Short mmCIF file of all heavy atoms in Angstrom, two decimals:
data_model
loop_
_atom_site.label_atom_id
_atom_site.label_comp_id
_atom_site.label_asym_id
_atom_site.label_seq_id
_atom_site.Cartn_x
_atom_site.Cartn_y
_atom_site.Cartn_z
N PHE A 39 -2.46 1.36 13.49
CA PHE A 39 -2.88 0.52 14.71
C PHE A 39 -3.73 1.43 15.60
O PHE A 39 -4.08 0.95 16.67
CB PHE A 39 -1.60 0.06 15.49
CG PHE A 39 -0.88 -1.11 14.73
CD1 PHE A 39 0.09 -0.72 13.81
CD2 PHE A 39 -1.18 -2.37 14.93
CE1 PHE A 39 0.83 -1.70 13.09
CE2 PHE A 39 -0.39 -3.40 14.30
CZ PHE A 39 0.50 -2.99 13.32
N ILE A 56 -7.87 3.37 22.83
CA ILE A 56 -8.26 2.39 21.73
C ILE A 56 -9.73 2.06 22.00
O ILE A 56 -10.25 1.07 21.29
CB ILE A 56 -7.25 1.28 21.45
CG1 ILE A 56 -6.97 0.64 22.86
CG2 ILE A 56 -6.15 1.67 20.74
CD1 ILE A 56 -5.97 -0.69 22.67
N GLN A 60 -9.07 1.36 27.35
CA GLN A 60 -7.84 0.69 27.20
C GLN A 60 -6.91 1.73 26.39
O GLN A 60 -7.51 2.54 25.68
CB GLN A 60 -7.98 -0.65 26.28
CG GLN A 60 -8.89 -1.52 27.03
CD GLN A 60 -8.49 -1.93 28.49
OE1 GLN A 60 -7.23 -2.04 28.79
NE2 GLN A 60 -9.43 -1.95 29.40
N THR A 61 -5.68 1.48 26.38
CA THR A 61 -4.79 2.32 25.64
C THR A 61 -3.55 1.66 24.83
O THR A 61 -3.23 0.56 25.14
CB THR A 61 -4.09 3.39 26.66
OG1 THR A 61 -3.48 2.60 27.69
CG2 THR A 61 -5.02 4.43 27.19
N ILE A 62 -3.17 2.40 23.78
CA ILE A 62 -1.99 1.74 23.14
C ILE A 62 -0.79 2.62 23.78
O ILE A 62 -0.86 3.88 23.95
CB ILE A 62 -2.14 2.08 21.63
CG1 ILE A 62 -0.73 2.04 20.83
CG2 ILE A 62 -2.79 3.28 21.24
CD1 ILE A 62 -0.89 2.07 19.40
N SER A 63 0.19 1.92 24.21
CA SER A 63 1.28 2.55 25.06
C SER A 63 2.03 3.59 24.28
O SER A 63 2.04 3.57 23.03
CB SER A 63 2.30 1.53 25.55
OG SER A 63 1.66 0.48 26.22
N VAL A 68 7.16 1.47 24.72
CA VAL A 68 7.21 0.29 23.90
C VAL A 68 8.72 0.04 23.66
O VAL A 68 9.26 -1.13 23.79
CB VAL A 68 6.55 0.52 22.52
CG1 VAL A 68 6.79 -0.68 21.59
CG2 VAL A 68 4.93 0.54 22.81
N GLU A 85 3.23 -12.09 24.73
CA GLU A 85 2.80 -10.77 25.16
C GLU A 85 1.47 -11.05 25.78
O GLU A 85 0.58 -11.68 25.36
CB GLU A 85 2.56 -9.90 23.89
CG GLU A 85 2.09 -8.40 24.46
CD GLU A 85 1.74 -7.52 23.24
OE1 GLU A 85 1.03 -7.77 22.27
OE2 GLU A 85 2.21 -6.39 23.30
N ILE A 86 1.24 -10.17 26.96
CA ILE A 86 -0.02 -10.19 27.64
C ILE A 86 -0.65 -8.91 27.29
O ILE A 86 -0.20 -7.81 27.73
CB ILE A 86 0.01 -10.58 29.13
CG1 ILE A 86 0.88 -11.68 29.43
CG2 ILE A 86 -1.44 -10.55 29.66
CD1 ILE A 86 0.51 -12.98 28.78
N GLY A 87 -1.81 -8.77 26.60
CA GLY A 87 -2.46 -7.52 26.31
C GLY A 87 -2.16 -7.12 24.90
O GLY A 87 -1.34 -6.29 24.69
N ALA A 88 -2.89 -7.62 23.92
CA ALA A 88 -2.61 -7.30 22.54
C ALA A 88 -3.11 -5.93 22.07
O ALA A 88 -2.46 -5.23 21.44
CB ALA A 88 -3.26 -8.28 21.47
N GLY A 89 -4.19 -5.51 22.75
CA GLY A 89 -4.69 -4.10 22.54
C GLY A 89 -4.80 -3.82 21.02
O GLY A 89 -5.62 -4.48 20.37
N SER A 90 -4.02 -2.84 20.59
CA SER A 90 -4.15 -2.55 19.13
C SER A 90 -3.21 -3.45 18.19
O SER A 90 -3.36 -3.36 17.05
CB SER A 90 -3.57 -1.11 18.95
OG SER A 90 -2.14 -1.16 19.31
N GLY A 91 -2.31 -4.18 18.89
CA GLY A 91 -1.31 -4.97 18.05
C GLY A 91 -0.03 -4.20 17.73
O GLY A 91 0.91 -5.02 17.26
N TYR A 92 0.09 -2.94 18.12
CA TYR A 92 1.24 -2.27 17.73
C TYR A 92 2.57 -2.69 18.42
O TYR A 92 3.59 -3.01 17.83
CB TYR A 92 1.14 -0.73 18.08
CG TYR A 92 2.32 0.08 17.96
CD1 TYR A 92 2.75 0.42 16.64
CD2 TYR A 92 3.16 0.41 19.01
CE1 TYR A 92 3.94 1.11 16.34
CE2 TYR A 92 4.32 1.23 18.73
CZ TYR A 92 4.75 1.51 17.47
OH TYR A 92 5.85 2.18 17.23
N HIS A 93 2.48 -2.95 19.72
CA HIS A 93 3.71 -3.39 20.49
C HIS A 93 4.14 -4.75 19.99
O HIS A 93 5.23 -4.96 19.83
CB HIS A 93 3.31 -3.49 21.97
CG HIS A 93 4.44 -3.54 22.90
ND1 HIS A 93 4.43 -2.94 24.19
CD2 HIS A 93 5.68 -4.09 22.78
CE1 HIS A 93 5.61 -3.24 24.85
NE2 HIS A 93 6.33 -3.84 23.94
N ALA A 94 3.10 -5.61 19.74
CA ALA A 94 3.53 -6.91 19.17
C ALA A 94 4.18 -6.79 17.74
O ALA A 94 5.08 -7.59 17.52
CB ALA A 94 2.15 -7.80 18.98
N SER A 109 0.19 -13.27 21.40
CA SER A 109 -0.36 -12.36 22.30
C SER A 109 -1.68 -12.66 22.77
O SER A 109 -2.55 -12.94 21.90
CB SER A 109 -0.25 -10.98 21.41
OG SER A 109 -0.75 -9.95 22.23
N VAL A 110 -1.89 -12.67 24.04
CA VAL A 110 -3.13 -12.96 24.64
C VAL A 110 -3.91 -11.71 24.97
O VAL A 110 -3.34 -10.79 25.60
CB VAL A 110 -2.94 -13.90 25.95
CG1 VAL A 110 -4.41 -14.38 26.49
CG2 VAL A 110 -2.12 -15.16 25.62
N GLU A 111 -5.21 -11.72 24.62
CA GLU A 111 -6.10 -10.58 24.80
C GLU A 111 -7.35 -10.93 25.42
O GLU A 111 -7.98 -11.89 24.89
CB GLU A 111 -6.15 -9.77 23.55
CG GLU A 111 -7.19 -8.52 23.58
CD GLU A 111 -6.88 -7.52 24.74
OE1 GLU A 111 -5.74 -7.02 24.73
OE2 GLU A 111 -7.77 -7.30 25.54
N ARG A 112 -7.85 -10.32 26.50
CA ARG A 112 -9.06 -10.78 27.09
C ARG A 112 -10.32 -10.11 26.56
O ARG A 112 -11.36 -10.67 26.60
CB ARG A 112 -9.12 -10.56 28.74
CG ARG A 112 -8.92 -9.14 29.14
CD ARG A 112 -9.01 -9.07 30.62
NE ARG A 112 -10.33 -9.25 31.21
CZ ARG A 112 -11.34 -8.43 31.28
NH1 ARG A 112 -11.01 -7.17 30.91
NH2 ARG A 112 -12.51 -8.67 31.81
N ILE A 113 -10.16 -8.93 25.86
CA ILE A 113 -11.42 -8.26 25.40
C ILE A 113 -11.57 -8.80 23.85
O ILE A 113 -10.65 -8.48 23.08
CB ILE A 113 -11.29 -6.78 25.44
CG1 ILE A 113 -11.13 -6.29 26.86
CG2 ILE A 113 -12.56 -6.07 24.71
CD1 ILE A 113 -11.01 -4.86 27.08
N LEU A 116 -11.02 -6.41 20.89
CA LEU A 116 -9.69 -5.98 20.72
C LEU A 116 -8.87 -7.18 20.13
O LEU A 116 -7.82 -6.91 19.44
CB LEU A 116 -8.99 -5.60 22.03
CG LEU A 116 -9.45 -4.22 22.58
CD1 LEU A 116 -8.88 -3.85 23.94
CD2 LEU A 116 -8.96 -3.00 21.54
N ILE A 135 -4.37 -14.39 20.55
CA ILE A 135 -5.27 -15.48 21.12
C ILE A 135 -6.14 -14.96 22.24
O ILE A 135 -5.68 -14.20 23.14
CB ILE A 135 -4.43 -16.63 21.77
CG1 ILE A 135 -3.63 -17.27 20.57
CG2 ILE A 135 -5.07 -17.68 22.53
CD1 ILE A 135 -2.12 -17.44 20.92
N GLY A 137 -8.27 -14.85 25.55
CA GLY A 137 -8.20 -15.48 26.88
C GLY A 137 -7.62 -14.67 27.95
O GLY A 137 -7.40 -13.52 27.79
N ASP A 138 -7.45 -15.34 29.16
CA ASP A 138 -6.94 -14.62 30.22
C ASP A 138 -5.40 -14.92 30.33
O ASP A 138 -4.89 -15.93 30.65
CB ASP A 138 -7.65 -15.32 31.60
CG ASP A 138 -7.03 -14.62 32.87
OD1 ASP A 138 -6.10 -13.81 32.77
OD2 ASP A 138 -7.41 -15.18 33.99
N GLY A 139 -4.62 -13.89 30.03
CA GLY A 139 -3.32 -13.89 29.95
C GLY A 139 -2.57 -14.16 31.26
O GLY A 139 -1.39 -14.39 31.33
N THR A 140 -3.22 -14.04 32.42
CA THR A 140 -2.54 -14.32 33.78
C THR A 140 -2.29 -15.74 33.78
O THR A 140 -1.47 -16.16 34.67
CB THR A 140 -3.40 -13.74 34.86
OG1 THR A 140 -4.55 -14.56 35.16
CG2 THR A 140 -3.87 -12.37 34.82
N LEU A 141 -2.92 -16.59 32.90
CA LEU A 141 -2.65 -18.03 33.04
C LEU A 141 -1.58 -18.40 31.93
O LEU A 141 -1.14 -19.57 31.81
CB LEU A 141 -4.00 -18.77 32.59
CG LEU A 141 -5.23 -18.38 33.41
CD1 LEU A 141 -6.35 -19.27 32.91
CD2 LEU A 141 -4.96 -18.98 34.88
N THR A 155 1.82 -6.04 29.13
CA THR A 155 1.51 -4.53 28.80
C THR A 155 0.38 -4.08 29.41
O THR A 155 -0.36 -3.13 29.12
CB THR A 155 1.44 -4.39 27.22
OG1 THR A 155 0.14 -5.05 26.84
CG2 THR A 155 2.53 -5.05 26.43
N CYS A 156 0.15 -4.62 30.79
CA CYS A 156 -0.89 -4.03 31.71
C CYS A 156 -0.32 -4.31 33.09
O CYS A 156 0.46 -5.24 33.26
CB CYS A 156 -2.23 -4.65 31.49
SG CYS A 156 -2.25 -6.33 30.89
N PHE A 205 -0.11 2.06 33.52
CA PHE A 205 -0.65 1.06 32.74
C PHE A 205 -2.03 0.92 33.03
O PHE A 205 -2.41 1.01 34.27
CB PHE A 205 0.21 -0.09 32.63
CG PHE A 205 1.39 -0.23 31.78
CD1 PHE A 205 2.60 0.32 32.21
CD2 PHE A 205 1.31 -0.69 30.49
CE1 PHE A 205 3.74 0.34 31.44
CE2 PHE A 205 2.55 -0.75 29.79
CZ PHE A 205 3.63 -0.16 30.14
N VAL A 206 -2.93 0.36 32.10
CA VAL A 206 -4.23 -0.14 32.50
C VAL A 206 -3.96 -1.44 33.36
O VAL A 206 -3.06 -2.05 33.16
CB VAL A 206 -5.17 -0.38 31.28
CG1 VAL A 206 -5.38 0.99 30.62
CG2 VAL A 206 -4.58 -1.36 30.38
N PRO A 207 -4.96 -1.78 34.17
CA PRO A 207 -4.90 -2.97 34.98
C PRO A 207 -4.88 -4.28 34.23
O PRO A 207 -5.68 -4.43 33.22
CB PRO A 207 -6.03 -2.85 35.93
CG PRO A 207 -6.93 -1.93 35.43
CD PRO A 207 -6.21 -1.13 34.49
N LEU A 208 -4.17 -5.19 34.68
CA LEU A 208 -4.17 -6.65 34.24
C LEU A 208 -5.31 -7.35 35.01
O LEU A 208 -5.28 -7.26 36.40
CB LEU A 208 -2.87 -7.37 34.62
CG LEU A 208 -2.88 -8.86 34.30
CD1 LEU A 208 -2.63 -9.12 32.83
CD2 LEU A 208 -1.81 -9.52 35.20
N LEU A 209 -6.36 -7.79 34.41
CA LEU A 209 -7.52 -8.39 35.10
C LEU A 209 -7.46 -9.88 34.90
O LEU A 209 -6.74 -10.32 33.93
CB LEU A 209 -8.82 -7.75 34.47
CG LEU A 209 -8.91 -6.23 34.61
CD1 LEU A 209 -10.20 -5.85 33.77
CD2 LEU A 209 -8.89 -5.73 35.88
N GLY A 210 -8.09 -10.55 35.73
CA GLY A 210 -8.20 -12.01 35.58
C GLY A 210 -7.76 -12.88 36.77
O GLY A 210 -7.56 -12.29 37.89
N ARG A 211 -7.77 -14.18 36.58
CA ARG A 211 -7.34 -14.99 37.68
C ARG A 211 -6.31 -14.65 38.65
O ARG A 211 -6.43 -14.66 39.82
CB ARG A 211 -7.13 -16.42 37.01
CG ARG A 211 -6.64 -17.57 37.89
CD ARG A 211 -7.77 -18.22 38.71
NE ARG A 211 -7.23 -19.38 39.52
CZ ARG A 211 -6.74 -19.36 40.52
NH1 ARG A 211 -6.41 -18.06 41.22
NH2 ARG A 211 -6.24 -20.35 41.21
N GLY A 213 -4.70 -11.67 38.27
CA GLY A 213 -4.62 -10.17 38.08
C GLY A 213 -5.49 -9.53 39.08
O GLY A 213 -5.99 -10.08 40.21
N1 SAH B 301 0.10 -3.82 23.84
C1 SAH B 301 -1.03 -2.98 23.41
C2 SAH B 301 -1.53 -2.19 24.55
C3 SAH B 301 -2.20 -3.00 25.61
S1 SAH B 301 -3.17 -2.08 26.88
C4 SAH B 301 -0.77 -2.25 22.30
O1 SAH B 301 0.39 -2.12 21.72
O2 SAH B 301 -1.71 -1.61 21.78
C5 SAH B 301 -3.47 -3.45 27.88
C6 SAH B 301 -4.39 -4.57 27.27
O3 SAH B 301 -4.31 -5.59 28.11
C7 SAH B 301 -5.78 -4.23 27.00
O4 SAH B 301 -6.09 -4.45 25.66
C8 SAH B 301 -6.51 -5.20 28.04
O5 SAH B 301 -7.75 -5.56 27.43
C9 SAH B 301 -5.51 -6.28 28.14
N2 SAH B 301 -5.68 -7.13 29.25
C10 SAH B 301 -5.95 -6.78 30.64
N3 SAH B 301 -5.95 -7.94 31.31
C11 SAH B 301 -5.72 -8.91 30.59
C12 SAH B 301 -5.56 -10.43 30.72
N4 SAH B 301 -5.78 -11.01 31.93
N5 SAH B 301 -5.33 -11.19 29.69
C13 SAH B 301 -5.07 -10.67 28.36
N6 SAH B 301 -5.21 -9.23 28.17
C14 SAH B 301 -5.55 -8.49 29.19
#
Side-chain angles (χ1 to χ4, degrees):
F39 293 87
I56 50 177
Q60 306 305 322
T61 51
I62 161 171
S63 308
V68 173
E85 178 186 49
I86 309 303
S90 66
Y92 174 73
H93 198 149
S109 185
V110 185
E111 173 55 57
R112 64 179 284 279
I113 299 179
L116 283 175
I135 294 131
D138 177 2
T140 70
L141 303 174
T155 70
C156 30
F205 278 84
V206 299
L208 173 80
L209 304 174
R211 170 82 172 79

